[in-house]
Amino acid sequence: MDYSAKLDEAIQQLHDEGRYRTFIDIEREQGNFPHAVWNKPDGTKQPVTVWCGNDYLGMGQNPVVMDAMHEAIKATGSGSGGTRNISGTTAYHKRLEAELADLHGKESALLFTSAYIANDATLSTLPKLFPGLIIYSDALNHASMIEGVRRNGGAKRVFRHNDVEHLRELLEADDPDAPKLIAFESIYSMDGDFGPIEAICDIADEFGALTYIDEVHAVGMYGPRGGGITERDRLAHRVDIINGTLAKAYGVMGGYITATDKMCDAIRSYAPGFIFTTSLPPAVAAGAAASVHHLKSDQDRRDQQQQQAKILKLRLKGLGLPIIDHGSHIVPVMVGDPVHTKALSDMLLDQFGIYVQPINFPTVPRGTERLRFTPSPVHGPEEMDKLVNALDELWSHCALNRAELAG
Ligand SMILES: Cc1ncc(COP(=O)(O)O)c(C=O)c1O
């Protein structure tokens, strides 16, 4: 086989479909978030404002977090030097797991190198623990959940997004005695809509199923202590396994699950994605623990972020831009074409110093390509004005549709 020609072909296909991904090289400026410097391909630099990051609360540059990381580096050095089982468990990992278990009101927590790995490793391990397990997975679940369910060798059923009646039909069609698990998210990050947690917990009770929720886009952001939508809606006790990330609102890196002691013990002992990989650097665990701890009491920051999202949505709606609004902190503006989305993103960056990455297939279905804005408490009024004016100008310039897609 001509391997090189095959690679050319695969890459060309992405160009032809307008979804070849170009990574924008940016330098975040410590203490100056959301401002950054764009290292342009021609070697020059341009100041930009980041509008598409998932450091939703600006915690990635919070002194509380950075101090904890500096102290841990001074105390222990850089890497952990081992897997959790072989010399890679430290007081920092233990403290972070305790913070997380407490955050969700669960007995235990288990750290992974990312939430992607936490989802994949846990969901692919559960059928080993519950032979014959059937997993019911929401159609719009994140790639990491899909991958975990796909690889686990057990049975899977995909229910239409947020459609509890369809879920019921699928549950009814299966053996009542088979072990079952329902996997879904609390906030679907591309549309910003919420999962029907209570209805899913009710149906899980009815059919004797376990529940697994991905709260990646909600932890730190919702609930009086940042425990996510399950905390906000007082449902955490009804969900068997809660998954979250330390890389978005908490501004660091890493992922986790929280559950009973027994569940965490079993996953810890059977999941290759937990066992056979080096644990997080202690400094990362220290920073994440400081961030989780801090956000348990910093409600102001959560309120400011929600306020910013509301203002941005109102202003964009006022201009008739096609935003999706489900009342969460995520602000997607629909474009519906990969080439146009990329062109808009390029113009925003080049002409206005506004960095928003185009979102296209396979992250979202074809025909729903979009720009996804993530306002934070530190995007000031000036930045907001610049963004709104730039979008207004570009929408007119490109003669784009201004009809609103109500959520
Ligand atoms: C819903 C969802 N789950 C899991 C992940 C993975 O999180 P992490 O970046 O910690 O691997 C993401 C990342 O974007 C996500 O959107």
Side-chain angles (χ1 to χ4, degrees):
M1 175 181 288
D2 183 346
Y3 294 104
S4 177
K6 279 283 167 211
L7 293 175
D8 285 340
E9 207 179 288
I11 291 166
Q12 189 54 44
Q13 186 179 341
L14 298 177
H15 281 292
D16 291 347
E17 291 177 16
R19 59 188 188 90
Y20 179 76
R21 291 179 170 183
T22 310
F23 294 157
I24 304 297
D25 173 1
I26 60 162
E27 283 166 33
R28 281 160 65 100
E29 293 180 336
Q30 204 262 100
N32 203 15
F33 179 75
H35 301 288
V37 173
W38 173 30
N39 295 317
K40 298 172 83 160
D42 65 6
T44 59
K45 291 176 184 285
Q46 181 181 326
V48 294
T49 304
V50 179
W51 274 99
C52 59
N54 284 332
D55 185 359
Y56 296 127
L57 300 174
M59 291 302 285
Q61 302 188 351
N62 188 294
V64 170
V65 176
M66 291 189 300
D67 288 351
M69 295 185 80
H70 284 133
E71 268 171 39
I73 284 191
K74 267 192 224 141
T76 75
S78 54
S80 77
T83 63
R84 285 297 293 271
N85 186 40
I86 308 176
S87 88
T89 294
T90 67
Y92 300 98
H93 297 88
K94 301 296 284 179
R95 172 168 173 228
L96 176 53
E97 286 176 338
E99 282 289 357
L100 292 167
D102 169 72
L103 177 68
H104 295 288
K106 298 285 182 199
E107 289 172 1
S108 276
L110 207 54
L111 275 178
F112 294 79
T113 37
S114 69
Y116 185 106
I117 301 292
N119 274 335
D120 180 48
T122 306
L123 289 169
S124 60
T125 297
L126 288 168
K128 290 188 212 165
L129 305 171
F130 308 109
L133 182 72
I134 305 172
I135 298 190
Y136 301 80
S137 178
D138 186 285
L140 291 193
N141 275 344
H142 187 256
S144 52
M145 297 169 90
I146 295 172
E147 197 59 21
V149 174
R150 190 183 66 78
R151 283 196 314 109
N152 70 16
K156 73 160 183 195
R157 316 271 183 258
V158 177
F159 58 97
R160 286 189 294 270
H161 178 53
N162 278 354
D163 187 339
V164 180
E165 278 319 303
H166 188 217
L167 172 61
R168 170 182 292 284
E169 279 169 31
L170 296 173
L171 286 158
E172 277 170 351
D174 282 320
D175 175 359
D177 294 330
K180 300 180 176 73
L181 177 134
I182 306 169
F184 61 112
E185 298 183 21
S186 63
I187 298 184
Y188 290 85
S189 69
M190 290 301 143
D191 283 358
D193 58 330
F194 297 91
I197 306 175
E198 189 165 21
I200 289 181
C201 290
D202 288 346
I203 210 167
D205 286 349
E206 201 181 321
F207 287 85
L210 294 170
T211 44
Y212 182 104
I213 197 165
D214 174 317
E215 285 252 47
V216 159
H217 291 275
V219 287
M221 305 284 293
Y222 295 83
R225 298 194 313 151
I229 304 296
T230 48
E231 185 194 28
R232 185 194 73 180
D233 295 351
R234 300 185 183 184
L235 293 168
H237 64 290
R238 297 194 61 195
V239 179
D240 295 290
I241 305 176
I242 299 178
N243 161 283
T245 188
L246 301 160
K248 300 188 193 291
Y250 292 121
V252 190
M253 174 89 203
Y256 64 91
I257 58 162
T258 57
T260 57
D261 280 336
K262 218 182 273 185
M263 181 72 82
C264 289
D265 195 19
I267 299 291
R268 182 186 75 88
S269 311
Y270 282 89
F274 178 84
I275 300 169
F276 299 108
T277 187
T278 301
S279 62
L280 289 172
V284 169
S291 189
V292 173
H293 185 73
H294 177 87
L295 285 178
K296 282 178 180 171
S297 55
D298 192 352
Q299 184 59 35
D300 279 356
R301 196 177 288 260
R302 275 189 280 282
D303 290 344
Q304 283 165 25
Q305 198 282 336
Q306 292 290 332
Q307 183 66 10
Q308 290 285 79
K310 276 200 190 106
I311 294 172
L312 182 58
K313 283 186 204 170
L314 265 178
R315 294 189 63 180
L316 296 181
K317 275 186 197 173
L319 295 173
L321 260 60
I323 72 162
I324 306 179
D325 184 8
H326 291 283
S328 74
H329 62 285
I330 294 164
V331 187
V333 177
M334 294 299 271
V335 183
D337 174 279
V339 177
H340 291 166
T341 313
K342 171 88 172 73
L344 281 167
S345 155
D346 287 347
M347 286 188 273
L348 282 167
L349 188 62
D350 272 334
Q351 296 170 27
F352 300 92
I354 289 169
Y355 174 37
V356 59
Q357 192 70 24
I359 308 281
N360 51 27
F361 180 81
T363 308
V364 293
R366 289 180 209 273
T368 71
E369 291 81 4
R370 66 197 66 184
L371 299 173
R372 173 182 177 273
F373 297 94
T374 52
S376 80
V378 289
H379 285 90
E382 210 177 294
E383 276 96 33
M384 184 88 80
D385 284 348
K386 275 193 198 157
L387 172 65
V388 171
N389 293 337
L391 284 173
D392 192 20
E393 198 177 317
L394 286 180
W395 239 251
S396 299
H397 175 75
C398 302
L400 286 163
N401 171 20
R402 287 194 188 239
E404 182 188 337
L405 299 178

